[in-house]
Amino acid sequence: MKIVFLTGAGMSVESGLTTFRDAGGLWENYPVMEVASHDGWERDPEKVNAFYNMLRVKYKDVKPCEGHRLIAELEKTHDVTVVTQNVDNLHEQAGSKKVIHLHGELMKMCSSRDVDNPRFWIDLPQEGWGETGLEVPKATKAEDGSLLRPYIVFFQENVPNIYDGIMEAQKAEIFIIIGTSLNVYPAASLLQYVSPSAKVFLIDPKPALGHSSHNVEIIAKGASEGMKELMEKL
């Protein structure tokens, strides 16, 4: 059975991560266009790197919740792909093997000239943030000579991995949405590519789906409790 998950910020809330958009989220405390836009990077790369280093400190002790682990457990019996809007690596920590990050990965750096070229990616260590002062040096260069930047899809930039997400959505026999309002595009458009014959579930304590041509079964619970209920249905 081909199962595709689309996960958003609500997936990681139970792990203790602050959402960006909700009340009290990070965008209330940081000027989004200064620290998370292409123009912001061009103006002040040092400030942008400092912001993402701050996030790495916040994320250093965060562990997967039971919801993450239950998704990974499904790989034992099904063909599972996770398409996530999250930049954390909690799905991978939980054991998921096939994860498509639509908005980038916090623990990677890349060339600022050739962002999506894996030749210039650098995996940052998971440990040490905030303990030894570990951070990305201000003028570190990629192998192509450009400044290293966070491997994050900034505002004003395209989402290259959306095409991989679309391909997976088209193959889904079961499509499961967890912790996303489906208001952030292009990720929100993935449901349009899911076959009408596929079963669709939405797990969210405050579900907001809007119009959909699919018959969506709603599980109005958080990620972990929702996944427990879903596992009983599969």
Side-chain angles (χ1 to χ4, degrees):
M1 182 75 70
K2 177 66 178 181
I3 301 177
V4 177
F5 286 88
L6 171 62
T7 66
M11 182 77 230
S12 297
V13 164
E14 291 177 32
S15 293
L17 294 185
T18 305
T19 63
F20 285 85
R21 297 171 181 274
D22 290 344
L26 285 169
W27 295 149
E28 287 191 357
N29 301 311
Y30 296 91
V32 58
M33 297 309 286
E34 290 184 18
V35 297
S37 72
H38 183 82
D39 286 348
W41 167 260
E42 292 289 336
R43 281 193 303 268
D44 194 343
E46 185 175 330
K47 183 175 186 177
V48 173
N49 273 336
F51 173 75
Y52 287 98
N53 283 339
M54 177 275 297
L55 288 186
R56 293 177 185 116
V57 172
K58 283 179 174 289
Y59 287 19
K60 69 182 178 65
D61 295 321
V62 172
K63 302 300 180 185
C65 69
E66 187 171 5
H68 290 105
R69 291 190 289 270
L70 289 173
I71 290 174
E73 188 176 317
L74 280 174
E75 290 190 7
K76 297 176 181 177
T77 52
H78 300 284
D79 178 5
V80 178
T81 298
V82 178
V83 182
T84 186
Q85 296 168 267
N86 300 333
V87 297
D88 61 63
N89 60 5
L90 292 173
H91 283 296
E92 289 91 341
Q93 286 188 46
S96 290
K97 297 295 189 293
K98 191 173 183 181
V99 183
I100 298 171
H101 285 270
L102 295 181
H103 296 159
E105 298 178 58
L106 182 64
M107 302 310 294
K108 276 188 170 70
M109 299 289 286
C110 63
S111 158
S112 53
R113 183 182 302 140
D114 197 1
V115 173
D116 295 302
N117 189 338
R119 175 184 169 192
F120 303 124
W121 292 349
I122 294 177
D123 289 308
L124 297 174
Q126 190 72 34
E127 305 297 329
W129 297 94
E131 298 169 358
T132 61
L134 182 64
E135 63 178 29
V136 179
K138 297 174 182 177
T140 298
K141 300 288 185 72
E143 287 189 12
D144 65 353
S146 68
L147 280 175
L148 278 175
R149 55 161 271 185
Y151 184 55
I152 298 292
V153 177
F154 292 143
F155 289 97
Q156 304 169 321
E157 294 181 338
N158 293 325
V159 181
N161 284 348
I162 191 64
Y163 302 106
D164 292 333
I166 289 171
M167 294 297 292
E168 294 298 319
Q170 289 175 333
K171 294 183 287 186
E173 296 172 83
I174 299 176
F175 190 77
I176 303 160
I177 306 160
I178 304 180
T180 176
S181 64
L182 292 181
N183 288 325
V184 179
Y185 285 83
S189 67
L190 289 180
L191 185 55
Q192 301 173 15
Y193 296 93
V194 176
S195 168
S197 63
K199 292 182 179 179
V200 180
F201 295 89
L202 171 62
I203 298 174
D204 197 291
K206 297 178 181 179
L209 184 63
H211 174 74
S212 172
S213 58
H214 292 81
N215 181 21
V216 180
E217 183 171 343
I218 293 175
I219 300 176
K221 295 181 178 180
S224 295
E225 291 302 314
M227 276 300 300
K228 289 180 186 177
E229 183 172 327
L230 179 68
M231 296 286 273
E232 295 175 357
K233 296 175 181 290
L234 295 180

